[in-house]
Amino acid sequence: MTQTRRGFIASGAAGLVTLAAPAIAAQSAVQRNVSALQKIDWRDHFDALGVGVIVADTSARAVHFWGGDGETYRLYPSSVPVSPELTKLGYTEVVRKVDGPTWTPTPSMRERDPSLPAVVPAGPGNPLGTHALYLSWQYYRIHGTHDTRKIGRPSSDGCIGLYNEHIAKLFALAEVGTQVRLI
C-alpha cells in the first residue's frame, strides 16, 4: 500500500484532532465566570432619585450611577477596601467634588506607616487619581487611581476607586447632593 502525500497529511490531522479531543471535552465542562458587573435597580436602595444616586457594591466591586433624569445609567468596575474593618457600609452623599485632588493620609494610615508624606499634590503619584467625589463620611471618597492594577480588587483603606477615565465621566455626571449607598 502506497501512502500519498495528501493521505499522509490527512491522517496526521486526524491524529491531532484525536489527541486534542480530551482537552476540548474537558474545556466544555468548565463553568465560565459570569461577570459581577450586572445592572441593579436603584429602587432597591433609594426612595427617589433626587439629583442622582450611586450604589457602590463592594461584593461585586462595581459602582452604579443613575442620573436624576431617570434615563442616565452608568456602571463602572471598582476597587474596594482591603478588609471588612475598613469598609463602611450605609448611606451617605457627595458633599464636594475636586478636580485634581491632593491626598492627605488619614491619622490611622500615618500610624501604620509613619513614612507616609504629609500631603501628596495632584499629579501622577497621587493615590486619588485625577478626580474625587468627597462623601459626608470623613476620609471616605470615590476617586480615581493611577494604579490600574487596583481596580477589581480589595486594595483601599476604605475608599472606592475607579479608573481615572471612569471617575472623570462620573465626576461630570454626579452633582453635589448625589445620594450614595455602599453595600
Side-chain angles (χ1 to χ4, degrees):
M1 177 165 128
T2 59
Q3 179 85 337
T4 65
R5 189 171 105 143
R6 189 170 286 167
F8 177 76
I9 291 172
S11 66
L16 288 174
V17 169
T18 302
L19 289 173
I24 292 169
Q27 189 177 33
S28 65
V30 173
Q31 288 188 336
R32 297 288 174 222
N33 186 16
V34 177
S35 174
L37 297 178
Q38 297 178 3
K39 185 175 181 178
I40 60 176
D41 192 330
W42 67 268
R43 291 169 200 85
D44 293 338
H45 305 280
F46 299 97
D47 293 329
L49 279 172
V51 296
V53 298
I54 294 172
V55 174
D57 186 339
T58 59
S59 62
R61 300 175 189 159
V63 170
H64 303 262
F65 170 81
W66 293 268
D69 62 6
E71 298 294 319
T72 305
Y73 172 76
R74 301 290 185 275
L75 172 60
Y76 305 107
S78 70
S79 65
V80 296
V82 294
S83 69
E85 297 79 37
L86 294 172
T87 305
K88 188 164 185 170
L89 304 177
Y91 291 92
T92 183
E93 68 179 297
V94 175
V95 294
R96 186 165 63 120
K97 296 169 49 171
V98 178
D99 182 352
T102 58
W103 178 65
T104 303
T106 66
S108 64
M109 289 176 186
R110 294 197 50 93
E111 187 177 302
R112 283 192 312 268
D113 184 357
S115 70
L116 288 173
V119 175
V120 176
N126 186 316
L128 297 183
T130 59
H131 298 80
L133 300 174
Y134 287 64
L135 305 178
S136 63
W137 299 332
Q138 187 177 20
Y139 305 125
Y140 287 86
R141 322 264 184 269
I142 298 173
H143 62 79
T145 181
H146 296 289
D147 188 352
T148 58
R149 297 170 298 172
K150 292 182 173 187
I151 304 304
R153 300 177 181 203
S155 60
S156 80
D157 279 338
C159 293
I160 301 297
L162 301 174
Y163 291 116
N164 279 329
E165 56 269 19
H166 291 165
I167 190 61
K169 291 174 183 177
L170 182 59
F171 186 90
L173 294 168
E175 299 178 30
V176 170
T178 296
Q179 305 168 83
V180 178
R181 182 174 186 197
L182 274 71
I183 59 172

